[in-house]
Amino acid sequence: MAALASLALTYAVFFPAARLRIELRGAEPTAATFHDGACFVGGCAVTYPFAGEQVTAGLPVGTRAGGHAEGDTVYVRSAPGEPERVVLAADTGRGTVAALLAVPGGATLLGLLAGAVRMRRDRRSEPPAQAA
């Protein structure tokens, strides 16, 4: 049961992250200041100008920010009218989206393989039926 909950959580996190990157591909890039953190788990942020104000927004799960340090200038794409929905401009390519979708796909395959191994092991451990 825990495996199914974990698998559902994986889908609930990685599909929206991939979809956000696809939605924002066409948005205009804007210069932003990078704030360091655990980017792959959604722990880093950027500050950028939006409608005349400075907005700080968290970057989504799966952000590949390798090589960026606190205070670096990066380019982001944001959703029109929704400054909190932002991704790194360089992180909207097909490779990133494919990698994000591969995580739940791989988790599903591992879950199916583990289930098949368990079923096979359980079937082997049953004693043979005796004739009456």
Side-chain angles (χ1 to χ4, degrees):
M1 188 59 133
L4 286 177
S6 154
L7 190 58
L9 179 63
T10 302
Y11 275 87
V13 169
F14 285 90
F15 272 149
R19 184 175 178 189
L20 178 62
R21 285 166 175 82
I22 292 169
E23 288 174 8
L24 298 181
R25 274 188 187 150
E28 190 65 33
T30 303
T33 303
F34 183 77
H35 303 294
D36 205 9
C39 287
F40 193 73
V41 293
C44 55
V46 292
T47 300
Y48 68 102
F50 185 86
E53 293 185 28
Q54 291 292 330
V55 174
T56 299
L59 293 169
V61 169
T63 296
R64 296 181 307 151
H68 296 301
E70 180 74 30
D72 282 355
T73 298
V74 295
Y75 286 89
V76 296
R77 298 178 193 271
S78 67
E82 298 178 76
E84 69 281 353
R85 295 186 54 200
V86 63
V87 297
L88 291 178
D91 213 16
T92 57
R94 292 176 189 220
T96 301
V97 172
L100 286 169
L101 294 177
V103 171
T108 300
L109 291 177
L110 284 174
L112 290 172
L113 178 64
V117 167
R118 183 176 174 149
M119 285 177 56
R120 184 176 178 129
R121 188 175 14 144
D122 288 349
R123 195 173 354 158
R124 238 189 281 154
S125 65
E126 291 178 8
Q130 295 186 6

